[in-house]
Amino acid sequence: MTHQDSPARPPKMADVGRLAGVSAQTVSRYFTGTGYVGAETRERIEAAIAELDYRLNQSARSLRVNATRTVGVLTTGPSLYGGWSTISGLNQAAAAAGYSLLSVQLEADPAGSDAPDWMHRALDRFLSARVDGIVVSSSHPGIEDLLERVWERVPVVILAGRSWPLADSATVDSYEAGVLATEHLVALGHERVLHLAGPEGVNEGVERERGYRDVLAAAGLPALPVPRGDWSAASGAAIGERVDAGSFTAVFAGNDQMALGFMSALRSRGLVPPGDYAIVGVDDMPDARFYSPALSSVSMDFVGLGRAGFEMILHRIRSGERVPRRVIRPVLVPRESTRASAGGTLPGRPAAPPPAVERSP
């Protein structure tokens, strides 16, 4: 098929690279002047550009004069394991690529009255520093409205549970985390599974609760009333102090920290897993295996999410082209807190296969 016969979509930098026999990164270096490109390679790239009638994306064109090798990172919400692990992954990937990060954190809910002004000041700081791109790590819906003013000025990648039409995005699948945790408990024979949910309206909390409810519905089991915490161990303990201990046989905690607080409160009431109830958390924090008993958890690769987010923003900076959404799959890590009783099942119940639940795409 000739170029004239090909579908009428604008050629991309990757198309130039394929025709010239080089990588898209080499083509990017040709345009931006940020690395060596030999004379013979330059000739092949120029010939491919002419044959394809390629026009450089304007955001990539501006790199010739504006590149600072700095990326702005905006995070929202309290400092928790997932958040700082994501920042760790971003830092690792940035250092490997020779970039620096300019980080700003808003601990309050972005929906608060003072948050929009605070975020506009943070974005102005990024723009004044002439960052090459911005990564936003936020679990709060609606934050895209506050970012509208920067979409067209710099590349943006959002690390959140929702996809965004105007920016590239990546996430660790919280819905599947809820599915895996609840399936694990139902497969052990539990019919009364309590869910300790995260804050109302937060993407990750909403998706984990949705996974919990879908698994129970598929198994024909009722969902119990859902108490909410704020991701902290203290909020888990507060739930554990007031919960009716006879209303459940298993617990799916929205994260490991709430599980820790809940276990501590139940222990003071004389109830200890796995003999009195089973419990599974989410995050698989490094400390989870040292809980007493060791906590079953769903591992969320937040460091990998940070690395992926930086790889995405770097691609966008260098090529000006969108990249597909990245979804990192969680992994169940069973430990002592959900160990079945002697014989491998709950007393008087056979082990049940996990119910069939359709995963989100």
Side-chain angles (χ1 to χ4, degrees), residues 209-277:
E209 182 178 346
R210 187 166 69 90
Y212 158 79
R213 292 183 181 279
D214 283 356
V215 169
L216 294 184
L221 299 174
L224 301 182
V226 174
R228 298 191 180 279
D230 60 8
W231 300 127
S232 69
S235 68
I239 295 170
E241 289 167 358
R242 64 177 185 265
V243 71
D244 177 0
S247 65
F248 62 91
T249 64
V251 177
F252 161 36
N255 71 344
D256 290 350
Q257 288 174 270
M258 288 198 297
L260 172 63
F262 187 87
M263 291 164 64
S264 176
L266 266 289
R267 185 181 297 275
S268 69
R269 298 171 61 180
L271 301 172
V272 179
D276 296 307
Y277 65 98

Side-chain angles (χ1 to χ4, degrees), residues 7-344:
R9 73 164 174 83
K12 296 183 178 182
M13 191 172 288
D15 299 323
V16 174
R18 278 192 290 270
L19 186 58
V22 299
S23 67
Q25 287 78 11
T26 300
V27 180
S28 175
R29 288 198 298 272
Y30 165 85
F31 279 113
T32 62
T34 56
Y36 174 76
V37 179
E40 189 271 336
T41 300
R42 293 178 66 87
E43 291 177 0
R44 296 206 312 272
I45 292 172
E46 288 166 357
I49 290 169
E51 181 175 341
L52 294 172
D53 193 26
Y54 175 74
R55 295 290 183 269
L56 180 64
N57 180 289
Q58 186 60 41
S59 66
R61 185 189 302 275
S62 67
L63 292 176
R64 294 189 182 194
V65 294
N66 292 334
T68 62
R69 301 188 73 81
T70 302
V71 170
V73 177
L74 176 62
T75 60
T76 70
S79 297
L80 298 171
Y81 171 74
W84 55 256
S85 295
T86 302
I87 296 297
S88 176
L90 282 163
N91 274 309
Q92 292 173 21
Y99 273 68
S100 299
L101 300 183
L102 178 60
S103 299
V104 179
Q105 180 179 10
L106 170 63
E107 294 210 4
D109 185 337
S113 59
D114 296 334
D117 287 342
W118 183 94
M119 291 190 66
H120 287 313
R121 290 196 299 272
L123 295 173
D124 285 340
R125 179 182 176 191
F126 291 154
L127 296 175
S128 297
R130 294 172 52 215
V131 296
D132 297 338
I134 296 174
V135 176
V136 179
S137 179
S138 175
S139 59
H140 296 85
I143 196 171
E144 71 275 18
D145 296 336
L146 299 175
L147 296 170
E148 185 175 358
R149 59 195 291 257
V150 301
W151 293 133
E152 298 299 325
R153 301 182 64 177
V154 293
V156 177
V157 169
I158 297 183
L159 307 181
R162 297 173 56 193
S163 59
W164 311 91
L166 298 177
D168 300 329
S169 62
T171 190
V172 183
D173 194 339
S174 279
Y175 172 78
E176 185 163 5
V179 168
L180 290 173
T182 312
E183 280 184 344
H184 177 55
L185 298 172
V186 171
L188 290 173
H190 293 280
E191 295 182 343
R192 290 177 290 144
V193 180
L194 176 68
H195 176 45
L196 313 185
E200 188 170 9
V202 173
N203 291 328
E204 285 75 6
V206 169
E207 289 301 293
R208 291 171 196 181
E209 182 178 346
R210 187 166 69 90
Y212 158 79
R213 292 183 181 279
D214 283 356
V215 169
L216 294 184
L221 299 174
L224 301 182
V226 174
R228 298 191 180 279
D230 60 8
W231 300 127
S232 69
S235 68
I239 295 170
E241 289 167 358
R242 64 177 185 265
V243 71
D244 177 0
S247 65
F248 62 91
T249 64
V251 177
F252 161 36
N255 71 344
D256 290 350
Q257 288 174 270
M258 288 198 297
L260 172 63
F262 187 87
M263 291 164 64
S264 176
L266 266 289
R267 185 181 297 275
S268 69
R269 298 171 61 180
L271 301 172
V272 179
D276 296 307
Y277 65 98
I279 185 168
V280 59
V282 175
D283 288 344
D284 192 31
M285 296 171 56
D287 294 345
R289 62 194 179 98
F290 298 109
Y291 286 13
S292 181
L295 179 67
S296 296
S297 188
V298 179
S299 177
M300 309 287 276
D301 186 5
F302 292 114
V303 173
L305 175 63
R307 292 196 194 104
F310 188 82
E311 291 167 2
M312 294 169 72
I313 197 68
L314 189 60
H315 175 86
R316 189 76 182 276
I317 289 168
R318 290 175 171 174
S319 71
E321 297 169 358
R322 298 289 302 268
V323 294
R325 176 169 166 81
R326 293 277 299 275
V327 178
I328 299 174
R329 306 290 295 274
V331 178
L332 177 71
V333 183
R335 294 193 180 97
E336 294 176 9
S337 68
T338 56
R339 188 182 64 233
S341 61

